[in-house]
Amino acid sequence: MTIARPQTNAPEFRLLATPLVLFLLVFLGFPALVNLIYSVSEVTFETLRQPKFTGLANFLSVWSDAAFWQASWFSLRFGLLTAILECLLGLFLAIFLSPLIERRSWLMAILMLPLMVAPALVGLMYRLVLHEFVGPVPYYLWTYFGASVSFLGPGSAFWTLVVVETLQWTPFTLLLFYMAYQAIPSEIAEASAMDGARSLQRLWFIELPMMGPTIAAALLIRFIDGFRVFDNVYVLTGSGPGGSTASLSIYIYEAFFKQGAIGKAVAASVVLFVASFAVLYGLNALASRRKGAKR
């Protein structure tokens, strides 16, 4: 039995695809075109309608700016660390709490509460709690242990940001991994138990490989989100002393709004877009190659 494929040149197909194409052209195509023009122009808020073409000057300015590379290094470290920590904690909690959540499903709703709070509000909350002079956590550490800790100081601000980001978004990975763990057929666990496999052996050789695509997707999603972080970092520390906690998003924001260098900010965003697209394309090609090798 053969199934006829739909003809992509049929009038009905073109009619159904027209709204989507128009949406992409209006809401994505036009802004992208304007950004490309601004990235090769000298433009400020006063000259938005009359940009002056300067070629690759904005890109060269971004490329030679030490603050850009410092922000790139911060975003890369922050994205990798938070993605790994969130996935490790989420995987552990999903497996460890699975029997408890099966009996009391309402616990999952409580565990998801951090996801319902806006990141900027989370950053503001932790800024008040961890403030060196008025925060309750530094006060009690000094009162009971005699320890003076500056959580938002130059030496510890990066790790404080990593912990705050991890605490807020670990429930996201927990939800993904719990659903993937529950989707594993119970017959596989029963068969492995009959073959004498222990719990750790079943987890390492059977369950984790079956959860592999979900783990990879969660790592990718959380890395992208951590790499482009803005809310928590901007509210807690801003760009930090000497730009030590400035992510790429904060670098672009400050170049755009504080310096008024719109062309430079847009050029940095174009570089960020191209780099992100290259990474995603490489990962997609690698996944396709592995899928082809398995066949």
Side-chain angles (χ1 to χ4, degrees), residues 104-137:
R104 296 174 176 84
S105 57
W106 52 268
L107 287 175
M108 181 60 75
I110 297 178
L111 293 173
M112 293 298 108
L113 285 178
L115 297 180
M116 303 179 185
V117 183
L121 185 58
V122 171
L124 181 61
M125 177 184 67
Y126 278 103
R127 184 175 183 178
L128 295 174
V129 170
L130 301 176
H131 196 278
E132 186 176 0
F133 299 108
V134 299
V137 174

Side-chain angles (χ1 to χ4, degrees), residues 6 8 13 21 31 38 69 74 76 91 120 124-125 148 152 170 173 196 209 217 239 245 263 271 294:
T8 57
F13 179 83
V21 173
Y38 283 167
W69 295 109
F74 173 88
L76 182 62
L91 186 61
L124 181 61
M125 177 184 67
S148 179
L152 303 178
T170 293
T173 58
S239 58
T245 60
V271 171
K294 289 182 180 180

Side-chain angles (χ1 to χ4, degrees), residues 21-22 52-53 94 102 127 158 170 180 223-224 227 255 280 292:
V21 173
L22 291 177
K52 181 181 178 181
F53 178 76
E102 287 181 4
R127 184 175 183 178
F158 175 79
T170 293
F223 170 73
I224 293 174
F227 187 79
L280 292 176

Side-chain angles (χ1 to χ4, degrees), residues 89-108 111 174-184 186 189 202-203 207 211:
L89 287 174
L91 186 61
F92 171 77
L93 292 174
I95 296 174
F96 181 76
L97 297 178
S98 179
L100 182 60
I101 296 176
E102 287 181 4
R103 294 194 299 269
R104 296 174 176 84
S105 57
W106 52 268
L107 287 175
M108 181 60 75
L111 293 173
L174 164 63
L175 179 62
L176 290 182
F177 296 152
Y178 176 75
M179 294 173 62
Y181 188 69
Q182 292 297 311
I184 298 176
S186 58
R202 184 169 65 249
L203 173 65
E207 294 172 347
M211 296 172 63

